[in-house]
Amino acid sequence: MTVPTYQIGDKTFRLLIKNDVLKQKAKELAERINQEYKDKNPILLPILTGSFMFFADVLPHLTIPYEINFVKVSSYGMRMTSSAAPRALMGLLLHLENRHVIVVEDIVDSGKTYQFLSNKLKEMKVQSYLYTALLVKKENVSDEIAIDWMGFDIGKAFVVGYGMDYQEKGRHLKDIYQLV
Ligand code: IMP
């Protein structure tokens, strides 16, 4: 059986995780949130842009009240060649002090975004935070990076699809593809 591929410029990506498996993970995360945040009215903090499709699959399964604030973490530099240091948190409108916050990231690569956001949340004196990521590149992150909930460990693969891009291409794909 041939594995489906997707081409972006001279880069070939091949199918890694199918949409039904991704949707199932999204449901699992929602179930955990339903159990642990029943009376906590958490603030969901999806990180744009990459998490939008995963997040959209989580939401219909949530049965508890919540608030949402989409945020963006800006950085310099180009993906795939190096991991740029995050510089600013953009779009935060809600007050997080004393609140239970749930971060939803698409993918943890070097863990710099994780470290940047974790520090910010502590500075803002949140009551608690749960750091969730659909994908983690375990081969890249150091041991002190403690992701609270992870969908899949993808080693060190570079991926596109299901919201994630290579130079803004490939976000629309329903499945996740890995760079060959
Ligand atoms: P980190 O700060 O190095 O952990 O990078 C995290 C961010 O980089 C993610 O939220 C993604 O937006 C982006 N990123 C990291 N790896 C990939 C990848 O393989 N494909 C697409 N985007 C990625």
Side-chain angles (χ1 to χ4, degrees), residues 2-177:
T2 52
V3 182
T5 60
Y6 187 75
Q7 198 72 24
I8 302 176
D10 62 350
K11 305 271 186 287
T12 305
F13 295 80
R14 71 175 151 74
L15 183 64
L16 182 66
I17 313 174
K18 290 207 73 171
N19 186 263
D20 55 338
V21 181
L22 297 165
K23 280 205 152 81
Q24 179 57 32
K25 273 290 168 204
K27 186 165 178 248
E28 280 171 35
L29 175 57
E31 282 164 358
R32 172 159 175 189
I33 294 171
N34 288 335
Q35 274 182 7
E36 291 183 17
Y37 290 86
K38 210 170 185 168
D39 303 307
K40 294 183 173 165
N41 189 27
I43 294 180
L44 306 180
L45 222 59
I47 313 297
L48 291 171
T49 304
S51 71
F52 77 92
M53 224 184 261
F54 176 57
F55 189 63
D57 281 338
V58 172
L59 291 179
H61 298 290
L62 291 177
T63 54
I64 58 159
Y66 55 79
E67 293 169 34
I68 298 185
N69 196 151
F70 288 87
V71 292
K72 202 165 175 85
V73 176
S74 74
S75 58
Y76 285 128
M78 284 279 282
R79 271 287 146 200
M80 219 159 101
T81 45
S82 68
S83 202
R87 295 166 47 243
L89 178 59
M90 291 161 24
L92 187 61
L93 299 171
L94 297 178
H95 291 286
L96 303 188
E97 194 172 332
N98 286 325
R99 299 294 302 269
H100 296 283
V101 175
I102 302 172
V103 177
V104 182
E105 197 177 1
D106 51 352
I107 178 164
V108 174
D109 180 354
S110 66
K112 283 178 187 162
T113 304
Y114 164 87
Q115 271 165 335
F116 173 79
L117 266 179
S118 302
N119 290 337
K120 274 259 177 271
L121 294 174
K122 283 175 201 158
E123 270 170 38
M124 289 174 189
K125 300 191 168 50
V126 299
Q127 190 162 343
S128 75
Y129 68 88
L130 184 80
Y131 205 101
T132 76
L134 173 65
L135 307 177
V136 178
K137 300 190 192 182
K138 280 243 172 154
E139 281 186 43
N140 290 357
V141 294
S142 59
D143 290 341
E144 75 254 25
I145 305 267
I147 311 300
D148 300 306
W149 182 93
M150 172 188 85
F152 304 92
D153 171 12
I154 58 159
K156 47 164 53 194
F158 186 87
V159 295
V160 296
Y162 200 55
M164 288 165 280
D165 74 308
Y166 168 57
Q167 296 182 348
E168 292 303 323
K169 302 275 190 309
R171 289 196 199 277
H172 66 288
L173 297 164
K174 303 277 180 290
D175 307 315
I176 290 179
Y177 290 72

